[in-house]
Amino acid sequence: MKSLADAVFPAEVFSLPLFHGISETGRTALVSSGWLRTCSFEKNQTIYHMGDRVSELGIVLSGSVFVENTDLWGNRSILSKITPGQVFAETYAFCREPMMVNVTAAEASTVLFFNLRNLDQTADGDDAWLSQLRSNMLRISMQKNLTLSNRIFCTTPKTIRERVLVYLAAQSAKTGADTFTIPFDRQGLADYLNLDRSALSKELGKMQKEGILEFHKNKFTLRHPYL
């Protein structure tokens, strides 16, 4: 017989990193208490607006979402792309501070929302599954800090070429290969690196002619990963 948790949510939901090591008792409590909900979004639909106060973190189940900043002149910078299994808005949900970013669906996506306010208000703080859940959230938060730090490294260099090479070298190191696929199209990469798209495309063309790299769409081969 299926448990309540398995009956309400597909099994892959509880294989997510946030729920690693959570007991059957814990999964049932999360579902029966209404801590979890799912919602689907169309491409470019806004999930959270800048200025929102949120109590729910989101976990991408399918598709992907952008965490982005838009300045007063309408210029967009992508801070990160969140793919299936990854979490967003957890810091704002923890701290109850207004969102300083927008979160939008990069494509048709399904998101699992987890209400952290319930976690604060529960009286069962000594339950083993709650301790495990808090430990999982801390680990995820630390990993997100590393992701944001990596973007700072990529946008610090002054020239387009330096930014591109820092980013691609990091992707090469992450995958352990000279050939790899990045999670952005050309506009997305430009927004992530805080560059003009046409200028980025022009520089990539120069770098390919010089034999530094090869690329087709979002697949790259890095020939000389160092500046």
Side-chain angles (χ1 to χ4, degrees):
M1 181 180 294
K2 282 187 175 182
S3 67
L4 174 62
D6 292 334
V8 176
F9 293 100
E12 55 266 26
V13 165
F14 291 101
S15 66
L16 294 167
L18 179 62
F19 305 116
H20 176 73
I22 301 299
S23 65
E24 181 65 35
T25 298
R27 295 197 297 270
T28 299
L30 287 169
V31 173
S32 62
S33 299
W35 292 20
L36 304 174
R37 67 182 180 93
T38 59
C39 189
S40 295
F41 299 90
E42 298 177 356
K43 182 177 180 179
N44 296 325
Q45 186 174 354
T46 300
I47 300 171
Y48 284 145
H49 294 85
M50 184 182 298
D52 287 349
R53 290 183 182 271
V54 303
S55 59
E56 295 176 311
L57 62 78
I59 309 173
V60 177
L61 297 182
S62 65
S64 58
V65 307
F66 286 138
V67 178
E68 57 191 33
N69 174 262
T70 303
D71 63 25
L72 295 175
W73 298 271
N75 300 311
R76 184 180 75 153
S77 295
I78 295 177
L79 304 181
S80 59
K81 184 177 184 180
I82 311 299
T83 55
Q86 296 183 328
V87 175
F88 62 88
E90 72 285 352
T91 301
Y92 293 103
F94 273 127
C95 300
R96 307 289 194 269
E97 293 290 328
M99 296 279 293
M100 297 297 292
V101 295
N102 296 316
V103 181
T104 61
E107 57 189 305
S109 304
T110 300
V111 175
L112 175 73
F113 291 99
F114 173 47
N115 196 324
L116 295 183
R117 185 171 297 166
N118 292 328
L119 186 62
D120 290 341
Q121 295 174 351
T122 182
D124 301 323
D126 293 331
D127 285 358
W129 69 268
L130 280 171
S131 296
Q132 181 64 48
L133 188 61
R134 292 188 176 103
S135 177
N136 292 346
M137 286 192 290
L138 178 61
R139 185 177 299 107
I140 289 170
S141 181
M142 295 301 98
Q143 290 172 340
K144 289 291 292 295
N145 284 341
L146 287 176
T147 299
L148 292 175
S149 295
N150 288 337
R151 183 178 184 272
I152 293 173
F153 292 143
C154 293
T155 56
T156 297
K158 295 182 178 180
T159 70
I160 297 174
R161 178 167 298 201
E162 287 173 332
R163 293 188 187 188
V164 169
L165 287 176
V166 169
Y167 174 75
L168 294 180
Q171 294 299 305
S172 178
K174 182 178 179 180
T175 61
D178 292 332
T179 299
F180 46 87
T181 301
I182 67 172
F184 299 113
D185 59 15
R186 195 68 70 244
Q187 184 62 58
L189 180 60
D191 291 338
Y192 182 79
L193 296 177
N194 200 20
L195 297 170
D196 175 75
R197 176 179 176 173
S198 60
L200 170 63
S201 296
K202 183 177 180 180
E203 188 62 36
L204 285 173
K206 288 182 179 179
M207 295 168 73
Q208 183 160 246
K209 287 181 180 179
E210 294 173 18
I212 297 174
L213 54 78
E214 295 178 7
F215 66 91
H216 177 67
K217 295 184 178 180
N218 63 337
K219 184 176 181 180
F220 285 79
T221 298
L222 196 57
R223 298 303 183 190
H224 302 286
Y226 302 104
L227 299 178

